[in-house]
């Protein structure tokens, strides 16, 4: 299978910086805003966005959530929790920016929204993804996008701070 | 990945590690205000206990419910077994109702293996005779992993298992699990209460073991019926030589943790108030038991789509002929 690099490390860095600015702009500041990365791919992105937002403005809480136990495909394929959810702040009334690396079918985000509900009732949930590759199977739309990337359904997209590769 | 959990040996080291990591996720669920996840919605777990049990049965039931599985309890004393129905027919009848997992406790070693042959459901061994009790072993190693923060393994950990090794399925499974993770295990017991073939290091001098230093002191339950078999002269002498007395507790290093599978015979194997024992993790063992059993049920059922819950497939072949005498 051929590999195609579509974003370089510098592109990722610039996208993160732009998304950090957009998050602050959209929320007219950072009052009540928290970041939660979806295990496992969204966690590094959440901490990168957290660091960038702290550099631009001020530090805000960053957590992570594992949505495996809320997935709708348990039993259809092996579903293993990647890591323990880590939310050590109150989500009641918070504006949560849910963060994942790639948005594809939307099923992971659906599961993560259900999982978030167990921790409290946020004021609002916004969605930030580094790559939106299309092929949605649920009515879910991102608020902040690093890069729109048209793909075919059988390709795989790998995202790290070192870039984005389609194979 | 196997469909059943019958023994630590069959689970293997990788399987033990997988369950322990899953248990961390489940422990986080149990710390939430609403400790419930929808992971096993629509699955059914049936508890079949041929021996008395409080903590194991309630622990499995709670674990299944926190994963949103449905639970059934097969009460042996009120069942058709009393009318002469065989063990096998009972199991197949329940299976025909659509069960995804059987949790079996039986006085005969090997019973869970038979049940696995008779059904396509997952089977969890919750204790068979003197043979094995794998979920107890998993909750024991999980408790040590958390209490001593040993996520990487138990290399160099010194574990002493004290008491009636011969008749204890807990001792066997727990020893296997500790050793699989790299711990050194020593058995401390009167020679009458050791199995005839001892592959482990064994001694009958508890004071020497404590004097040499030990990280985990695992006290087994001393069963009163062993007295009538004259395997120990009397309980007082047993306590004097093998019990955790206030004098011995004072000799333990502050970092030593004390474990017991329960139920405790107060004044026999532990002759000191557990509340006064700073190293006691007996309550944590019970709490962790739920997380570990959630991990076990999730590990088996999230990977086993071909279970008996698919009644359409099963009932015309298995159940229907039996219904018409």
């Amino acid at each position: 299978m051929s590999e195609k690099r579509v974003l370089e490390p510098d592109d990722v860095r610039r996208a993160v910086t732009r998304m950090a600015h957009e998050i602050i702009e959209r929320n007219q500041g950072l009052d009540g805003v928290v970041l939660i990365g979806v295990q496992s791919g969204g966690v590094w992105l959440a901490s990168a966005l957290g660091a960038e937002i702290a550099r631009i403005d001020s530090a805000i809480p960053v957590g992570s959530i594992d949505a495996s136990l809320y997935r709708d495909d348990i039993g259809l394929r092996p579903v293993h929790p990647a890591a323990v959810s880590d939310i050590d702040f109150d989500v009641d009334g918070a504006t949560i920016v849910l963060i994942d690396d790639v948005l594809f079918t939307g099923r992971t985000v659906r599961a993560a929204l259900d999982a978030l509900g167990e921790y409290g009732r946020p004021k609002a949930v916004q969605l930030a993804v580094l790559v939106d590759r299309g092929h949605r199977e649920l009515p879910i739309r991102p608020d902040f996008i690093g890069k729109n990337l048209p793909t075919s359904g059988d390709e795989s997209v790998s995202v790290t701070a070192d870039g984005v590769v389609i194979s | 990945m196997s469909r059943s959990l019958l023994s630590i040996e069959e689970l293997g080291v990788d399987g033990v590690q997988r369950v322990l990591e899953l248990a961390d996720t489940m422990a986080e669920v149990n710390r939430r205000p609403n400790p419930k996840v929808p992971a096993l919605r629509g699955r059914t777990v049936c508890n079949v206990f041929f021996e008395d049990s409080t903590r194991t049965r309630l622990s499995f039931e709670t674990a299944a419910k926190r994963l949103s599985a449905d639970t059934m309890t097969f009460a042996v004393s009120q069942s058709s077994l009393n009318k002469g129905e065989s063990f096998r027919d009972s199991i197949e009848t329940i299976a025909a109702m659509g069960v995804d997992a059987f949790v079996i406790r039986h006085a005969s070693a090997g019973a869970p293996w038979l049940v696995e042959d008779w059904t396509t459901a997952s089977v969890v061994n919750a204790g068979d005779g003197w043979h094995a009790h794998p979920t107890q072993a998993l909750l024991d190693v999980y408790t040590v992993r958390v209490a001593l923060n040993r996520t990487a393994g138990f290399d160099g950990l010194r574990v002493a298992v004290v008491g009636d090794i011969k008749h204890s399925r807990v001792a066997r499974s727990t020893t296997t699990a500790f050793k699989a993770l790299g711990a050194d295990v020593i058995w401390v017991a009167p020679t009458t209460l050791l199995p005839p073939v001892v592959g482990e290091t064994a001694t009958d001098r508890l004071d020497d073991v404590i004097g040499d230093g030990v990280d985990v002191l695992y006290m087994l339950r001393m069963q009163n019926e062993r007295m009538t078999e004259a395997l120990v002269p009397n309980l007082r002498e047993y306590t004097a030589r093998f019990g955790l007395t206030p004098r011995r507790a004072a000799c333990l290093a502050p970092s030593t943790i004390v474990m017991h599978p329960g139920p405790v015979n107060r004044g026999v194997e532990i002759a000191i108030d557990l509340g006064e024992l700073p190293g006691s993790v007996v309550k944590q063992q019970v709490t962790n038991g739920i997380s570990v059993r959630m991990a076990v049920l999730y590990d088996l059922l999230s990977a086993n789509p071909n279970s008996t819950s698919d009644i359409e497939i099963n009932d015309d072949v298995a159940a229907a002929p039996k219904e018409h005498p």
Side-chain angles (χ1 to χ4, degrees):
Chain A
M1 187 134 357
S2 68
E3 283 197 356
K4 192 170 80 183
R5 179 169 289 270
V6 288
L7 288 186
E8 298 294 334
D10 277 349
D11 300 323
V12 173
R13 192 175 45 73
R14 281 190 285 268
V16 167
T17 303
R18 175 175 52 75
M19 289 163 75
H21 280 286
E22 285 174 358
I23 289 169
I24 300 168
E25 184 186 14
R26 167 80 62 92
N27 293 295
Q28 296 168 330
L30 290 169
D31 194 27
V33 176
V34 301
L35 306 182
I36 294 182
V38 180
Q39 292 282 2
S40 56
V43 175
W44 73 267
L45 186 58
S47 58
L49 277 169
E52 195 60 16
I53 287 172
R55 190 183 64 78
I56 301 165
D57 196 305
S58 58
I60 57 174
V62 179
S64 68
I65 193 159
D66 184 288
S68 314
L69 300 176
Y70 297 82
R71 293 195 65 94
D72 57 8
D73 50 1
I74 291 171
L76 302 177
R77 64 180 192 91
V79 175
H80 297 294
V84 178
S85 298
D86 178 20
I87 298 178
D88 59 1
F89 42 83
D90 195 3
V91 305
D92 272 324
T95 299
I96 295 176
V97 182
L98 193 64
I99 297 162
D100 206 353
D101 52 356
V102 181
L103 181 60
F104 184 29
T105 61
R107 287 175 192 267
T108 305
V109 172
R110 203 275 313 156
L113 287 171
D114 279 359
L116 267 183
E118 303 288 346
Y119 293 86
R121 184 179 182 279
K123 178 164 168 257
V125 181
Q126 300 165 354
L127 178 61
V129 298
L130 191 63
V131 172
D132 181 356
R133 59 173 292 194
H135 304 282
R136 211 81 73 243
E137 293 168 3
L138 294 171
I140 281 171
R141 175 187 56 78
D143 299 280
F144 311 101
I145 306 170
K147 169 95 177 154
N148 276 305
L149 203 58
T151 59
S152 70
D154 54 2
E155 283 173 323
S156 107
V157 178
S158 128
V159 175
T160 64
D162 294 331
V164 175
V165 175
I166 300 185
S167 55
Chain B
M1 200 177 300
S2 132
R3 93 179 133 94
S4 295
L5 172 65
L6 302 176
S7 67
I8 296 294
E9 287 85 349
E10 288 174 44
L11 183 61
V13 186
D14 293 346
V16 170
Q17 285 289 9
R18 190 176 65 236
V19 169
L20 297 183
E21 278 159 28
L22 260 176
D24 278 334
T25 297
M26 301 306 175
E28 193 272 331
V29 171
N30 288 329
R31 285 193 296 271
R32 297 183 198 163
N34 173 16
K36 192 159 177 147
V37 289
L40 295 184
R41 261 178 316 189
R43 306 304 185 92
T44 302
V45 176
C46 184
N47 283 315
V48 185
F49 277 62
F50 286 85
E51 275 187 344
D52 297 339
S53 160
T54 310
R55 64 200 74 214
T56 306
R57 189 169 54 77
L58 290 178
S59 184
F60 268 111
E61 196 171 324
T62 308
K65 285 181 170 157
R66 289 190 177 175
L67 291 167
S68 300
D70 295 314
T71 57
M72 307 200 290
T73 300
F74 179 73
V76 171
S77 60
Q78 300 159 23
S79 72
S80 288
L81 284 162
N82 292 339
K83 300 184 197 165
E85 186 176 49
S86 73
F87 181 29
R88 177 169 187 162
D89 284 344
S90 295
I91 292 293
E92 287 181 348
T93 302
I94 305 168
M97 294 177 185
V99 167
D100 299 276
F102 284 100
V103 177
I104 304 274
R105 169 168 292 187
H106 201 283
S108 300
W113 278 261
L114 288 176
V115 174
E116 202 203 20
D117 277 348
W118 298 335
T119 77
T120 56
S122 295
V123 178
V124 183
N125 183 356
D128 62 325
W130 300 348
H131 176 226
H133 193 352
T135 58
Q136 176 74 42
L138 289 167
L139 77 88
D140 289 336
V141 291
Y142 182 71
T143 300
V144 171
R145 184 183 196 262
V146 172
L148 300 180
N149 198 16
R150 298 280 295 244
T151 42
F154 291 172
D155 285 334
L157 189 79
R158 295 162 302 175
V159 180
V161 183
V162 186
D164 183 0
I165 309 278
K166 182 178 179 181
H167 304 96
S168 173
R169 56 190 172 215
V170 173
R172 258 172 279 280
S173 287
T174 291
T175 300
T176 309
F178 272 114
K179 291 178 80 169
L181 293 171
D184 300 316
V185 181
I186 184 167
W187 282 353
V188 187
T191 44
T192 48
L193 292 180
L194 281 173
V197 182
V198 180
E200 317 298 327
T201 325
T203 175
D204 62 355
R205 304 181 69 89
L206 179 56
D207 287 318
D208 292 356
V209 171
I210 291 176
D212 291 345
V214 62
D215 301 305
V216 176
L217 194 60
Y218 198 103
M219 309 302 293
L220 294 170
R221 176 176 147 78
M222 184 62 204
Q223 287 160 304
N224 289 323
E225 50 270 33
R226 306 298 166 226
M227 296 307 125
T228 53
E229 297 162 17
L231 293 171
V232 211
N234 62 57
L235 285 180
R236 278 183 60 190
E237 179 167 338
Y238 177 84
T239 306
R241 292 192 58 197
F242 298 98
L244 184 57
T245 56
R247 180 183 63 79
R248 289 201 177 98
C251 297
L252 291 173
S255 61
T256 301
I257 62 173
V258 177
M259 308 180 75
H260 191 293
V264 176
N265 273 327
R266 291 195 181 277
V268 183
E269 65 267 6
I270 296 188
I272 175 172
D273 188 351
L274 283 172
E276 292 170 23
L277 206 59
S280 164
V281 292
V282 175
K283 274 195 185 139
Q284 286 93 312
Q285 285 176 276
V286 177
T287 308
N288 290 337
I290 294 175
S291 304
V292 167
R293 289 180 174 115
M294 286 167 77
V296 166
L297 290 174
Y298 181 80
D299 188 45
L300 297 175
L301 293 182
S302 68
N304 182 15
N306 308 315
S307 55
T308 51
S309 69
D310 206 345
I311 290 180
E312 283 99 321
I313 297 172
N314 246 3
D315 73 353
D316 28 355
V317 250
K322 284 202 189 78
E323 300 299 322
H324 307 290

